[in-house]
Amino acid sequence: MSEAATEFLPILSAAAATGGSLVVSIHDVAPAMQTECEEMLHELKKAGVSTTSLLVIPDYHQTGRAMADAKFVDWLRAREEEGHEIVLHGYYHQRVRKQGENLRDRFITRLYTQDEGEFFDLDYAEAFDRITRGREEFLAAKFAPVGFIAPAWLLNDHGERAARDCDFEYTTRLTEVLDLRNGERQAARSLVYSTRTNWRRSASLAWNAMLVRAIEHRELVRLSLHPPDLGARPIWRQAMSLAQRLASVRQVTTYRDWIAERRTR
């Protein structure tokens, strides 16, 4: 199915049920992607999404600490004052390839994530160290994130335990949101796009057009966006169409606020 044929399929399904929540997250927020993130937030606001969860990388691909960039920190603080949530997103967002990896691990870490599944197979000590370093750098810059989300949602049991021991309140994976305090898991598969090749873009458009129809009546709907989505115009148009439609019938919130509200029930 072509991009043109799949781009607008979501608007043809039945209207989404009223009620429920919508969390839109922007992944890979870092100084190098600040311009793209600014434009994404601007267009999301026009679509009715005025608050998001911003997944911030402490040291993107070891190119420099985000919290040491005063301009970026000021921009991030302004976004937080507007109601956006700051989330710790890995540390380097990068994973070094290992010798002797089996076919499954090579597929997940190279083809699926393009060497960015940082927490895929870290041991507890290393996961704890990286999460702690990121948290301390954020705290020093006067940010106090309560959520930790691993790059590509690839978080093993060691990483999950490390995040809990670092006093984070929640994490997410591709198919769920996990309350680290009480262990409750909410099934909520995220809508997400892949833009690296033409076939990935076409597959993403078709897949999300079908997936939204399967999940739009659930309590929580998640839309996860990345800076490259902005440059893939058919994908961005579909994403904004989804955001606008879902925001019109759902409570737009953040992971932090959704977790807090759920605990009060």
Side-chain angles (χ1 to χ4, degrees), residues 6-264:
T6 59
E7 183 177 349
F8 299 108
L9 275 176
I11 66 173
L12 301 178
S13 66
T18 57
S21 300
L22 169 67
V23 173
V24 177
S25 58
I26 297 182
H27 294 227
D28 304 351
V29 179
M33 279 77 76
Q34 181 178 332
T35 299
E36 291 89 338
C37 292
E38 286 179 347
E39 185 173 349
M40 294 169 78
L41 288 174
H42 176 71
E43 294 203 20
L44 281 166
K45 189 172 183 179
K46 290 194 298 183
V49 178
S50 58
T51 183
T52 67
S53 291
L54 300 174
L55 277 57
V56 184
I57 306 167
D59 186 0
Y60 176 67
H61 286 199
Q62 304 185 57
T63 57
R65 291 185 298 114
M67 296 300 107
D69 187 320
K71 179 182 177 183
F72 176 73
V73 169
D74 288 345
W75 175 80
L76 206 58
R77 185 165 292 113
R79 303 293 76 75
E80 186 177 50
E81 290 172 357
E82 293 172 350
H84 299 279
E85 176 193 11
I86 309 303
V87 182
L88 179 61
H89 189 40
Y91 190 84
Y92 297 119
H93 208 284
Q94 187 177 41
R95 177 185 179 273
V96 177
R97 294 183 179 183
K98 300 179 180 180
Q99 295 293 326
E101 291 179 330
N102 60 40
L103 183 61
R104 170 186 172 273
D105 289 355
R106 289 201 303 270
F107 174 83
I108 293 173
T109 62
R110 302 181 192 186
L111 180 63
Y112 173 60
T113 66
Q114 204 172 21
D115 297 312
E116 294 194 322
E118 179 183 6
F119 282 76
F120 172 68
D121 53 1
L122 290 183
D123 60 27
Y124 175 84
E126 184 61 29
F128 184 87
D129 177 69
R130 294 191 191 189
I131 295 172
T132 299
R133 271 189 289 158
R135 183 172 180 269
E136 289 176 349
E137 290 173 15
F138 279 40
L139 288 172
K142 304 296 191 293
F143 296 112
V146 300
F148 171 80
I149 298 177
W153 295 291
L154 294 176
L155 184 68
N156 64 14
D157 291 341
H158 296 304
E160 181 181 311
R161 183 160 61 92
R164 183 180 292 107
D165 290 348
C166 287
D167 294 325
F168 280 92
E169 297 195 9
Y170 76 83
T171 189
T172 72
R173 291 186 172 88
L174 177 61
T175 60
E176 68 178 12
V177 178
L178 169 61
D179 188 328
L180 291 170
R181 279 190 183 179
N182 57 33
E184 289 188 0
R185 300 175 186 268
Q186 173 68 36
R189 187 180 184 92
S190 187
L191 299 159
V192 63
Y193 296 91
S194 180
T195 61
R196 293 204 302 270
T197 62
N198 286 333
W199 76 263
R200 283 176 179 266
R201 290 193 289 272
S202 295
S204 288
L205 287 166
W207 169 250
N208 285 315
M210 292 185 294
L211 180 60
V212 71
R213 297 176 186 177
I215 67 174
E216 64 182 359
H217 296 283
R218 294 183 180 178
E219 177 184 347
L220 175 65
V221 172
R222 303 161 59 200
L223 175 60
S224 303
L225 303 172
H226 295 76
D229 297 341
L230 187 66
R233 298 314 295 179
I235 277 180
W236 188 249
R237 285 192 292 270
Q238 187 190 82
M240 289 305 94
S241 174
L242 287 173
Q244 184 173 31
R245 188 179 62 138
L246 292 166
S248 70
V249 294
R250 287 178 168 268
Q251 177 67 40
V252 178
T253 187
T254 63
Y255 286 125
R256 174 196 59 209
D257 293 342
W258 185 83
I259 285 283
E261 190 275 334
R262 184 174 174 80
R263 287 174 180 161
T264 65

